[in-house]
Amino acid sequence: MENAADSKGLTTIPEPTLRRLPIYYQYLRNLESAGKKVISCTTIGNDLSLDPTQVRKDLAHTGVEGKPKVGYMVSDLVRKIEEFLGWNKINAAFLAGAGNLGSALLGYPQFREHGLSIVAAFDRDPAKVGSLIHGKRVLPLETLPGLARRMGIRLGIITVPPAAAQEVADFMVQGGIQAIWNFAPVMLKVPSSIVVRNEELYYSLAALSHTLAKKLNVEIKKGEEGYASSN
Amino acid sequence: MENAADSKGLTTIPEPTLRRLPIYYQYLRNLESAGKKVISCTTIGNDLSLDPTQVRKDLAHTGVEGKPKVGYMVSDLVRKIEEFLGWNKINAAFLAGAGNLGSALLGYPQFREHGLSIVAAFDRDPAKVGSLIHGKRVLPLETLPGLARRMGIRLGIITVPPAAAQEVADFMVQGGIQAIWNFAPVMLKVPSSIVVRNEELYYSLAALSHTLAKKLNVEIKKGEEGYASSN
DNA sequence: TATATATAGAGAAAAGTTTCTCGATTCGCT
DNA sequence: AGCGAATCGAGAAACTTTTCTCTATATATA
């Protein structure tokens, strides 16, 4: 029974599945607030333009069970996905770098609903230290390791400029932080036991701009054809 | 010769490759500014913890060519990836929703270097309309379609609250926008010819929090074992 | 109560992606 | 000039993910 093993983290879950789960989750939350009680993979697949079997396999990874002819309880699905992604327990996090992006993240309401609570921000700029951003206190960067250790913080978010990122990462590791969400465009060097997730907004832009460029190219070609011939 | 076809957009490129290309790009830009002229897939693979053959196949999609025993010209690679991703031409974009996230995106310096120039922001809040955010003027939302059409804008970015997202998307479609980068947690309904890329910061959180949850679980179990037995 | 139908779930097949293997090429060194 | 080492590029093999097919089951309806 692979599902049970999966939901306990004993097997590895496909990356693509992991990327789709939050999409299902959002969709299901919308259903829930619309008052829908049960849902089938067929319907989910139609609404999200995904293959129903794929949806079923994805959801099975969370250990949820459905009924033939009926589908799944929406509330079951929501709960199982939350558990699976660790969104049912709040992770306290430290954020380093109280610039534009850092401030936006500090004020991002969705995080709280998805198991992430940024409890403090850190910066080197004396003008920022001591101030409040979206209700979170900005503290001196040097105090990060000690505080992280005392408060048992497991998650760090890096939104400092690239040049400072490695040093901040070192601070975080020193403070016993286990997972780093890195928004700086550099590859961090950390012990292999630390989970690093690199996030660059422009990474996501790649797919979009590639598709758009291709699309515009095709249009230009069509235009030229239409101009040259008389069709 | 599949590479040539690829670089002209005639074949489909694997999603995973598309996600890795920006990573290579960033790495290569760093090399470039460090003065490195040539690079091999072996070295790239080592530095980025990827299989060298995979790196080679990924890069081949851009149509770049290397020399045995030497590798690739760093500058060739950078140029080819830029062309492939459409980063060599600047795309002018409109952004709707001048809140926290919108402001952060307006001030995000990396976009400009990657083919994206946000030329104006739109909001419904009269307090924001008319002001400048990071040098970009905030305009009334209603003027978006007309302006988009007149300026030939192809790309729209949505950072409004979920409830307003669909309406904004409709405005964008009406204004002839071809691709939408959607940061609101809703599935937009748009004509199938429009490219939509949904971006949710917490989507990326999924992988990280799942791994962290798993990791902490394992640690707890280990702890319990250690406690129960005397090992 | 029997029947038709929608759907979960499991396993097989197909498609896609990554990794391996090998030959060809280039360069530096002797 | 010839030799050895490094690397590209192409094709094959292994692996992963997606899609298809089938069976069992729950529900609604006649």
Side-chain angles (χ1 to χ4, degrees), chain A residues 67-113:
Chain A
K67 276 189 196 168
K69 170 86 189 192
V70 182
Y72 302 87
M73 299 290 298
V74 176
S75 57
D76 280 4
L77 283 173
V78 167
R79 205 188 61 245
K80 286 290 193 176
I81 296 178
E82 279 176 350
E83 283 172 13
F84 188 80
L85 295 178
W87 287 354
N88 54 333
K89 309 194 189 87
I90 298 280
N91 274 310
F94 277 176
L95 179 144
N100 280 319
L101 184 58
S103 304
L105 296 187
L106 285 168
Y108 199 65
Q110 280 86 344
F111 286 157
R112 197 56 194 256
E113 299 161 25

mmCIF file of all heavy atoms in Angstrom, chain A residues 67-113:
data_model
loop_
_atom_site.group_PDB
_atom_site.id
_atom_site.type_symbol
_atom_site.label_atom_id
_atom_site.label_comp_id
_atom_site.label_asym_id
_atom_site.label_seq_id
_atom_site.Cartn_x
_atom_site.Cartn_y
_atom_site.Cartn_z
ATOM 1 N N LYS A 67 -14.859 7.242 -2.450
ATOM 2 C CA LYS A 67 -15.858 6.207 -2.682
ATOM 3 C C LYS A 67 -16.200 6.158 -4.165
ATOM 4 O O LYS A 67 -16.463 7.199 -4.766
ATOM 5 C CB LYS A 67 -17.145 6.555 -1.925
ATOM 6 C CG LYS A 67 -17.155 6.124 -0.488
ATOM 7 C CD LYS A 67 -18.555 6.318 0.077
ATOM 8 C CE LYS A 67 -18.573 6.285 1.582
ATOM 9 N NZ LYS A 67 -19.851 6.747 2.129
ATOM 10 N N PRO A 68 -16.252 4.947 -4.736
ATOM 11 C CA PRO A 68 -16.675 4.825 -6.132
ATOM 12 C C PRO A 68 -18.041 5.458 -6.317
ATOM 13 O O PRO A 68 -18.868 5.428 -5.397
ATOM 14 C CB PRO A 68 -16.756 3.312 -6.343
ATOM 15 C CG PRO A 68 -15.876 2.725 -5.305
ATOM 16 C CD PRO A 68 -15.918 3.652 -4.137
ATOM 17 N N LYS A 69 -18.228 6.011 -7.463
ATOM 18 C CA LYS A 69 -19.475 6.663 -7.876
ATOM 19 C C LYS A 69 -19.714 8.005 -7.191
ATOM 20 O O LYS A 69 -20.478 8.827 -7.685
ATOM 21 C CB LYS A 69 -20.669 5.711 -7.634
ATOM 22 C CG LYS A 69 -22.034 6.300 -7.794
ATOM 23 C CD LYS A 69 -22.489 6.242 -9.240
ATOM 24 C CE LYS A 69 -23.779 7.051 -9.369
ATOM 25 N NZ LYS A 69 -24.465 6.875 -10.592
ATOM 26 N N VAL A 70 -19.032 8.261 -6.079
ATOM 27 C CA VAL A 70 -19.256 9.497 -5.337
ATOM 28 C C VAL A 70 -18.089 10.455 -5.492
ATOM 29 O O VAL A 70 -18.232 11.584 -5.943
ATOM 30 C CB VAL A 70 -19.465 9.200 -3.834
ATOM 31 C CG1 VAL A 70 -19.739 10.490 -3.082
ATOM 32 C CG2 VAL A 70 -20.583 8.205 -3.653
ATOM 33 N N GLY A 71 -16.929 9.970 -5.113
ATOM 34 C CA GLY A 71 -15.750 10.829 -5.132
ATOM 35 C C GLY A 71 -15.153 10.942 -3.743
ATOM 36 O O GLY A 71 -15.203 9.998 -2.954
ATOM 37 N N TYR A 72 -14.575 12.088 -3.452
ATOM 38 C CA TYR A 72 -13.938 12.315 -2.149
ATOM 39 C C TYR A 72 -14.724 13.372 -1.373
ATOM 40 O O TYR A 72 -15.363 14.242 -1.956
ATOM 41 C CB TYR A 72 -12.505 12.824 -2.334
ATOM 42 C CG TYR A 72 -11.608 11.918 -3.137
ATOM 43 C CD1 TYR A 72 -11.552 12.008 -4.520
ATOM 44 C CD2 TYR A 72 -10.798 10.981 -2.503
ATOM 45 C CE1 TYR A 72 -10.721 11.179 -5.252
ATOM 46 C CE2 TYR A 72 -9.966 10.152 -3.223
ATOM 47 C CZ TYR A 72 -9.933 10.250 -4.602
ATOM 48 O OH TYR A 72 -9.108 9.429 -5.327
ATOM 49 N N MET A 73 -14.635 13.312 -0.061
ATOM 50 C CA MET A 73 -15.128 14.409 0.757
ATOM 51 C C MET A 73 -14.139 15.564 0.594
ATOM 52 O O MET A 73 -12.939 15.383 0.787
ATOM 53 C CB MET A 73 -15.160 14.030 2.243
ATOM 54 C CG MET A 73 -16.058 12.854 2.592
ATOM 55 S SD MET A 73 -17.792 13.300 2.425
ATOM 56 C CE MET A 73 -17.922 14.611 3.656
ATOM 57 N N VAL A 74 -14.642 16.730 0.258
ATOM 58 C CA VAL A 74 -13.764 17.877 0.067
ATOM 59 C C VAL A 74 -12.947 18.139 1.341
ATOM 60 O O VAL A 74 -11.738 18.385 1.287
ATOM 61 C CB VAL A 74 -14.574 19.124 -0.331
ATOM 62 C CG1 VAL A 74 -13.669 20.340 -0.433
ATOM 63 C CG2 VAL A 74 -15.289 18.898 -1.656
ATOM 64 N N SER A 75 -13.622 18.022 2.469
ATOM 65 C CA SER A 75 -12.940 18.327 3.733
ATOM 66 C C SER A 75 -11.806 17.328 4.007
ATOM 67 O O SER A 75 -10.745 17.694 4.513
ATOM 68 C CB SER A 75 -13.935 18.312 4.889
ATOM 69 O OG SER A 75 -14.581 17.057 4.945
ATOM 70 N N ASP A 76 -12.026 16.048 3.632
ATOM 71 C CA ASP A 76 -10.965 15.046 3.771
ATOM 72 C C ASP A 76 -9.741 15.451 2.963
ATOM 73 O O ASP A 76 -8.604 15.406 3.449
ATOM 74 C CB ASP A 76 -11.423 13.683 3.226
ATOM 75 C CG ASP A 76 -12.298 12.942 4.216
ATOM 76 O OD1 ASP A 76 -12.602 13.528 5.275
ATOM 77 O OD2 ASP A 76 -12.663 11.790 3.919
ATOM 78 N N LEU A 77 -10.008 15.811 1.723
ATOM 79 C CA LEU A 77 -8.907 16.160 0.826
ATOM 80 C C LEU A 77 -8.108 17.326 1.382
ATOM 81 O O LEU A 77 -6.886 17.290 1.446
ATOM 82 C CB LEU A 77 -9.456 16.515 -0.553
ATOM 83 C CG LEU A 77 -9.884 15.330 -1.422
ATOM 84 C CD1 LEU A 77 -10.566 15.828 -2.680
ATOM 85 C CD2 LEU A 77 -8.666 14.486 -1.780
ATOM 86 N N VAL A 78 -8.841 18.368 1.790
ATOM 87 C CA VAL A 78 -8.180 19.552 2.322
ATOM 88 C C VAL A 78 -7.302 19.168 3.514
ATOM 89 O O VAL A 78 -6.119 19.542 3.585
ATOM 90 C CB VAL A 78 -9.216 20.618 2.727
ATOM 91 C CG1 VAL A 78 -8.575 21.712 3.561
ATOM 92 C CG2 VAL A 78 -9.883 21.214 1.496
ATOM 93 N N ARG A 79 -7.853 18.368 4.401
ATOM 94 C CA ARG A 79 -7.110 18.003 5.602
ATOM 95 C C ARG A 79 -5.879 17.162 5.262
ATOM 96 O O ARG A 79 -4.779 17.403 5.755
ATOM 97 C CB ARG A 79 -8.016 17.220 6.554
ATOM 98 C CG ARG A 79 -7.576 17.319 8.010
ATOM 99 C CD ARG A 79 -8.382 16.387 8.905
ATOM 100 N NE ARG A 79 -8.215 14.996 8.524
ATOM 101 C CZ ARG A 79 -9.192 14.218 8.042
ATOM 102 N NH1 ARG A 79 -10.405 14.699 7.861
ATOM 103 N NH2 ARG A 79 -8.939 12.961 7.735
ATOM 104 N N LYS A 80 -6.082 16.195 4.369
ATOM 105 C CA LYS A 80 -4.974 15.313 4.007
ATOM 106 C C LYS A 80 -3.846 16.064 3.318
ATOM 107 O O LYS A 80 -2.667 15.795 3.569
ATOM 108 C CB LYS A 80 -5.480 14.184 3.088
ATOM 109 C CG LYS A 80 -6.277 13.122 3.808
ATOM 110 C CD LYS A 80 -5.380 12.285 4.706
ATOM 111 C CE LYS A 80 -6.091 11.027 5.189
ATOM 112 N NZ LYS A 80 -5.210 10.175 5.980
ATOM 113 N N ILE A 81 -4.196 16.990 2.443
ATOM 114 C CA ILE A 81 -3.149 17.755 1.754
ATOM 115 C C ILE A 81 -2.411 18.624 2.769
ATOM 116 O O ILE A 81 -1.187 18.710 2.758
ATOM 117 C CB ILE A 81 -3.726 18.609 0.605
ATOM 118 C CG1 ILE A 81 -4.313 17.700 -0.477
ATOM 119 C CG2 ILE A 81 -2.650 19.501 -0.004
ATOM 120 C CD1 ILE A 81 -4.956 18.438 -1.643
ATOM 121 N N GLU A 82 -3.173 19.252 3.657
ATOM 122 C CA GLU A 82 -2.535 20.073 4.699
ATOM 123 C C GLU A 82 -1.534 19.256 5.509
ATOM 124 O O GLU A 82 -0.391 19.678 5.718
ATOM 125 C CB GLU A 82 -3.596 20.647 5.647
ATOM 126 C CG GLU A 82 -4.286 21.876 5.087
ATOM 127 C CD GLU A 82 -5.392 22.379 6.001
ATOM 128 O OE1 GLU A 82 -5.751 21.676 6.967
ATOM 129 O OE2 GLU A 82 -5.917 23.474 5.735
ATOM 130 N N GLU A 83 -1.971 18.076 5.924
ATOM 131 C CA GLU A 83 -1.075 17.217 6.707
ATOM 132 C C GLU A 83 0.148 16.843 5.889
ATOM 133 O O GLU A 83 1.282 16.899 6.367
ATOM 134 C CB GLU A 83 -1.792 15.922 7.113
ATOM 135 C CG GLU A 83 -2.753 16.101 8.266
ATOM 136 C CD GLU A 83 -3.585 14.839 8.493
ATOM 137 O OE1 GLU A 83 -3.243 13.776 7.934
ATOM 138 O OE2 GLU A 83 -4.592 14.934 9.222
ATOM 139 N N PHE A 84 -0.128 16.455 4.657
ATOM 140 C CA PHE A 84 0.952 15.972 3.809
ATOM 141 C C PHE A 84 2.008 17.046 3.574
ATOM 142 O O PHE A 84 3.204 16.767 3.586
ATOM 143 C CB PHE A 84 0.376 15.499 2.478
ATOM 144 C CG PHE A 84 1.383 14.812 1.627
ATOM 145 C CD1 PHE A 84 1.723 13.490 1.857
ATOM 146 C CD2 PHE A 84 2.010 15.486 0.586
ATOM 147 C CE1 PHE A 84 2.660 12.846 1.086
ATOM 148 C CE2 PHE A 84 2.953 14.852 -0.193
ATOM 149 C CZ PHE A 84 3.278 13.523 0.059
ATOM 150 N N LEU A 85 1.556 18.274 3.376
ATOM 151 C CA LEU A 85 2.499 19.354 3.080
ATOM 152 C C LEU A 85 3.027 20.027 4.345
ATOM 153 O O LEU A 85 3.824 20.948 4.268
ATOM 154 C CB LEU A 85 1.836 20.388 2.167
ATOM 155 C CG LEU A 85 1.459 19.906 0.769
ATOM 156 C CD1 LEU A 85 0.778 21.017 -0.006
ATOM 157 C CD2 LEU A 85 2.683 19.412 0.013
ATOM 158 N N GLY A 86 2.565 19.554 5.470
ATOM 159 C CA GLY A 86 3.039 20.151 6.719
ATOM 160 C C GLY A 86 2.402 21.500 6.986
ATOM 161 O O GLY A 86 2.944 22.311 7.725
ATOM 162 N N TRP A 87 1.234 21.726 6.390
ATOM 163 C CA TRP A 87 0.585 23.028 6.558
ATOM 164 C C TRP A 87 -0.337 23.059 7.759
ATOM 165 O O TRP A 87 -0.932 24.091 8.066
ATOM 166 C CB TRP A 87 -0.206 23.393 5.296
ATOM 167 C CG TRP A 87 0.681 23.767 4.157
ATOM 168 C CD1 TRP A 87 2.038 23.921 4.199
ATOM 169 C CD2 TRP A 87 0.296 24.037 2.809
ATOM 170 N NE1 TRP A 87 2.505 24.267 2.966
ATOM 171 C CE2 TRP A 87 1.461 24.349 2.093
ATOM 172 C CE3 TRP A 87 -0.931 24.052 2.141
ATOM 173 C CZ2 TRP A 87 1.445 24.664 0.742
ATOM 174 C CZ3 TRP A 87 -0.944 24.369 0.793
ATOM 175 C CH2 TRP A 87 0.225 24.667 0.100
ATOM 176 N N ASN A 88 -0.500 21.922 8.404
ATOM 177 C CA ASN A 88 -1.363 21.891 9.579
ATOM 178 C C ASN A 88 -0.617 22.375 10.824
ATOM 179 O O ASN A 88 -1.211 22.822 11.778
ATOM 180 C CB ASN A 88 -1.931 20.490 9.791
ATOM 181 C CG ASN A 88 -0.837 19.428 9.846
ATOM 182 O OD1 ASN A 88 0.225 19.615 9.266
ATOM 183 N ND2 ASN A 88 -1.091 18.343 10.533
ATOM 184 N N LYS A 89 0.706 22.276 10.792
ATOM 185 C CA LYS A 89 1.492 22.805 11.901
ATOM 186 C C LYS A 89 2.166 24.095 11.451
ATOM 187 O O LYS A 89 2.693 24.186 10.349
ATOM 188 C CB LYS A 89 2.587 21.808 12.293
ATOM 189 C CG LYS A 89 2.093 20.394 12.542
ATOM 190 C CD LYS A 89 3.183 19.581 13.248
ATOM 191 C CE LYS A 89 2.815 18.108 13.310
ATOM 192 N NZ LYS A 89 3.237 17.343 12.099
ATOM 193 N N ILE A 90 2.144 25.074 12.318
ATOM 194 C CA ILE A 90 2.772 26.343 11.963
ATOM 195 C C ILE A 90 4.294 26.243 12.152
ATOM 196 O O ILE A 90 4.769 25.820 13.201
ATOM 197 C CB ILE A 90 2.212 27.489 12.835
ATOM 198 C CG1 ILE A 90 0.713 27.670 12.611
ATOM 199 C CG2 ILE A 90 2.959 28.792 12.558
ATOM 200 C CD1 ILE A 90 0.321 28.442 11.386
ATOM 201 N N ASN A 91 5.022 26.591 11.110
ATOM 202 C CA ASN A 91 6.475 26.704 11.208
ATOM 203 C C ASN A 91 6.848 28.152 11.473
ATOM 204 O O ASN A 91 6.498 29.028 10.683
ATOM 205 C CB ASN A 91 7.126 26.303 9.881
ATOM 206 C CG ASN A 91 7.361 24.820 9.774
ATOM 207 O OD1 ASN A 91 7.923 24.214 10.678
ATOM 208 N ND2 ASN A 91 6.934 24.232 8.671
ATOM 209 N N ALA A 92 7.568 28.372 12.524
ATOM 210 C CA ALA A 92 8.065 29.722 12.767
ATOM 211 C C ALA A 92 9.308 29.947 11.925
ATOM 212 O O ALA A 92 10.147 29.064 11.800
ATOM 213 C CB ALA A 92 8.389 29.895 14.241
ATOM 214 N N ALA A 93 9.410 31.121 11.327
ATOM 215 C CA ALA A 93 10.543 31.404 10.452
ATOM 216 C C ALA A 93 11.144 32.764 10.745
ATOM 217 O O ALA A 93 10.464 33.660 11.244
ATOM 218 C CB ALA A 93 10.096 31.337 8.997
ATOM 219 N N PHE A 94 12.429 32.886 10.445
ATOM 220 C CA PHE A 94 13.116 34.175 10.463
ATOM 221 C C PHE A 94 13.351 34.621 9.036
ATOM 222 O O PHE A 94 13.658 33.793 8.178
ATOM 223 C CB PHE A 94 14.485 34.039 11.159
ATOM 224 C CG PHE A 94 14.427 34.110 12.656
ATOM 225 C CD1 PHE A 94 15.592 33.922 13.404
ATOM 226 C CD2 PHE A 94 13.236 34.376 13.328
ATOM 227 C CE1 PHE A 94 15.565 33.991 14.786
ATOM 228 C CE2 PHE A 94 13.195 34.446 14.714
ATOM 229 C CZ PHE A 94 14.362 34.248 15.452
ATOM 230 N N LEU A 95 13.228 35.915 8.824
ATOM 231 C CA LEU A 95 13.494 36.462 7.501
ATOM 232 C C LEU A 95 14.670 37.423 7.594
ATOM 233 O O LEU A 95 14.707 38.283 8.479
ATOM 234 C CB LEU A 95 12.251 37.185 6.972
ATOM 235 C CG LEU A 95 12.339 37.841 5.594
ATOM 236 C CD1 LEU A 95 11.009 37.720 4.867
ATOM 237 C CD2 LEU A 95 12.736 39.318 5.680
ATOM 238 N N ALA A 96 15.639 37.281 6.695
ATOM 239 C CA ALA A 96 16.770 38.202 6.681
ATOM 240 C C ALA A 96 16.727 39.064 5.437
ATOM 241 O O ALA A 96 16.671 38.529 4.322
ATOM 242 C CB ALA A 96 18.085 37.421 6.748
ATOM 243 N N GLY A 97 16.729 40.367 5.634
ATOM 244 C CA GLY A 97 16.694 41.292 4.505
ATOM 245 C C GLY A 97 15.361 41.994 4.404
ATOM 246 O O GLY A 97 14.437 41.494 3.773
ATOM 247 N N ALA A 98 15.268 43.165 5.020
ATOM 248 C CA ALA A 98 13.983 43.853 5.094
ATOM 249 C C ALA A 98 13.826 44.901 3.994
ATOM 250 O O ALA A 98 13.408 46.018 4.234
ATOM 251 C CB ALA A 98 13.825 44.484 6.477
ATOM 252 N N GLY A 99 14.178 44.512 2.770
ATOM 253 C CA GLY A 99 14.008 45.418 1.625
ATOM 254 C C GLY A 99 12.604 45.315 1.061
ATOM 255 O O GLY A 99 11.669 44.969 1.768
ATOM 256 N N ASN A 100 12.498 45.608 -0.237
ATOM 257 C CA ASN A 100 11.191 45.560 -0.896
ATOM 258 C C ASN A 100 10.553 44.197 -0.804
ATOM 259 O O ASN A 100 9.422 44.047 -0.365
ATOM 260 C CB ASN A 100 11.360 45.877 -2.384
ATOM 261 C CG ASN A 100 11.486 47.352 -2.625
ATOM 262 O OD1 ASN A 100 10.771 48.136 -2.011
ATOM 263 N ND2 ASN A 100 12.403 47.732 -3.491
ATOM 264 N N LEU A 101 11.316 43.217 -1.279
ATOM 265 C CA LEU A 101 10.767 41.867 -1.325
ATOM 266 C C LEU A 101 10.514 41.349 0.083
ATOM 267 O O LEU A 101 9.454 40.790 0.370
ATOM 268 C CB LEU A 101 11.729 40.954 -2.083
ATOM 269 C CG LEU A 101 11.238 39.538 -2.295
ATOM 270 C CD1 LEU A 101 9.925 39.525 -3.054
ATOM 271 C CD2 LEU A 101 12.288 38.716 -3.019
ATOM 272 N N GLY A 102 11.484 41.563 0.968
ATOM 273 C CA GLY A 102 11.326 41.121 2.343
ATOM 274 C C GLY A 102 10.058 41.694 2.966
ATOM 275 O O GLY A 102 9.287 40.971 3.606
ATOM 276 N N SER A 103 9.823 42.964 2.757
ATOM 277 C CA SER A 103 8.625 43.598 3.314
ATOM 278 C C SER A 103 7.365 42.974 2.745
ATOM 279 O O SER A 103 6.388 42.733 3.470
ATOM 280 C CB SER A 103 8.614 45.097 2.997
ATOM 281 O OG SER A 103 9.789 45.697 3.482
ATOM 282 N N ALA A 104 7.388 42.712 1.443
ATOM 283 C CA ALA A 104 6.215 42.104 0.821
ATOM 284 C C ALA A 104 5.944 40.741 1.440
ATOM 285 O O ALA A 104 4.802 40.403 1.738
ATOM 286 C CB ALA A 104 6.407 41.970 -0.680
ATOM 287 N N LEU A 105 7.002 39.961 1.663
ATOM 288 C CA LEU A 105 6.819 38.636 2.253
ATOM 289 C C LEU A 105 6.296 38.751 3.681
ATOM 290 O O LEU A 105 5.448 37.968 4.111
ATOM 291 C CB LEU A 105 8.123 37.845 2.236
ATOM 292 C CG LEU A 105 8.701 37.510 0.857
ATOM 293 C CD1 LEU A 105 9.890 36.572 1.000
ATOM 294 C CD2 LEU A 105 7.660 36.900 -0.053
ATOM 295 N N LEU A 106 6.799 39.739 4.420
ATOM 296 C CA LEU A 106 6.347 39.932 5.801
ATOM 297 C C LEU A 106 4.854 40.238 5.845
ATOM 298 O O LEU A 106 4.175 39.934 6.820
ATOM 299 C CB LEU A 106 7.131 41.066 6.461
ATOM 300 C CG LEU A 106 8.566 40.729 6.870
ATOM 301 C CD1 LEU A 106 9.334 41.998 7.248
ATOM 302 C CD2 LEU A 106 8.584 39.750 8.036
ATOM 303 N N GLY A 107 4.336 40.850 4.787
ATOM 304 C CA GLY A 107 2.934 41.211 4.771
ATOM 305 C C GLY A 107 2.078 40.297 3.915
ATOM 306 O O GLY A 107 0.965 40.651 3.546
ATOM 307 N N TYR A 108 2.587 39.134 3.597
ATOM 308 C CA TYR A 108 1.881 38.222 2.696
ATOM 309 C C TYR A 108 0.935 37.335 3.496
ATOM 310 O O TYR A 108 1.367 36.402 4.167
ATOM 311 C CB TYR A 108 2.920 37.379 1.961
ATOM 312 C CG TYR A 108 2.436 36.719 0.688
ATOM 313 C CD1 TYR A 108 2.047 37.479 -0.416
ATOM 314 C CD2 TYR A 108 2.404 35.345 0.567
ATOM 315 C CE1 TYR A 108 1.622 36.879 -1.581
ATOM 316 C CE2 TYR A 108 1.984 34.734 -0.601
ATOM 317 C CZ TYR A 108 1.602 35.512 -1.672
ATOM 318 O OH TYR A 108 1.190 34.903 -2.820
ATOM 319 N N PRO A 109 -0.374 37.603 3.419
ATOM 320 C CA PRO A 109 -1.296 36.942 4.332
ATOM 321 C C PRO A 109 -1.407 35.431 4.114
ATOM 322 O O PRO A 109 -1.683 34.688 5.047
ATOM 323 C CB PRO A 109 -2.638 37.624 4.047
ATOM 324 C CG PRO A 109 -2.495 38.255 2.709
ATOM 325 C CD PRO A 109 -1.043 38.496 2.481
ATOM 326 N N GLN A 110 -1.163 34.976 2.866
ATOM 327 C CA GLN A 110 -1.336 33.558 2.576
ATOM 328 C C GLN A 110 -0.395 32.659 3.381
ATOM 329 O O GLN A 110 -0.701 31.502 3.630
ATOM 330 C CB GLN A 110 -1.124 33.264 1.090
ATOM 331 C CG GLN A 110 -2.311 33.573 0.193
ATOM 332 C CD GLN A 110 -2.307 35.034 -0.245
ATOM 333 O OE1 GLN A 110 -1.605 35.852 0.350
ATOM 334 N NE2 GLN A 110 -3.084 35.360 -1.254
ATOM 335 N N PHE A 111 0.759 33.189 3.757
ATOM 336 C CA PHE A 111 1.735 32.328 4.437
ATOM 337 C C PHE A 111 1.171 31.747 5.718
ATOM 338 O O PHE A 111 1.299 30.566 5.997
ATOM 339 C CB PHE A 111 3.009 33.096 4.749
ATOM 340 C CG PHE A 111 3.864 33.357 3.550
ATOM 341 C CD1 PHE A 111 4.765 34.408 3.545
ATOM 342 C CD2 PHE A 111 3.787 32.544 2.430
ATOM 343 C CE1 PHE A 111 5.568 34.645 2.432
ATOM 344 C CE2 PHE A 111 4.566 32.777 1.313
ATOM 345 C CZ PHE A 111 5.465 33.839 1.324
ATOM 346 N N ARG A 112 0.549 32.606 6.486
ATOM 347 C CA ARG A 112 0.020 32.193 7.765
ATOM 348 C C ARG A 112 -0.927 31.010 7.624
ATOM 349 O O ARG A 112 -0.913 30.078 8.433
ATOM 350 C CB ARG A 112 -0.708 33.380 8.439
ATOM 351 C CG ARG A 112 -0.948 33.190 9.909
ATOM 352 C CD ARG A 112 0.374 32.910 10.599
ATOM 353 N NE ARG A 112 0.207 32.405 11.935
ATOM 354 C CZ ARG A 112 0.402 33.134 13.030
ATOM 355 N NH1 ARG A 112 0.794 34.384 12.934
ATOM 356 N NH2 ARG A 112 0.244 32.593 14.218
ATOM 357 N N GLU A 113 -1.710 31.035 6.555
ATOM 358 C CA GLU A 113 -2.670 29.959 6.309
ATOM 359 C C GLU A 113 -2.001 28.687 5.804
ATOM 360 O O GLU A 113 -2.652 27.671 5.637
ATOM 361 C CB GLU A 113 -3.701 30.406 5.269
ATOM 362 C CG GLU A 113 -4.518 31.609 5.673
ATOM 363 C CD GLU A 113 -5.157 32.261 4.446
ATOM 364 O OE1 GLU A 113 -5.363 31.563 3.443
ATOM 365 O OE2 GLU A 113 -5.429 33.481 4.499
#
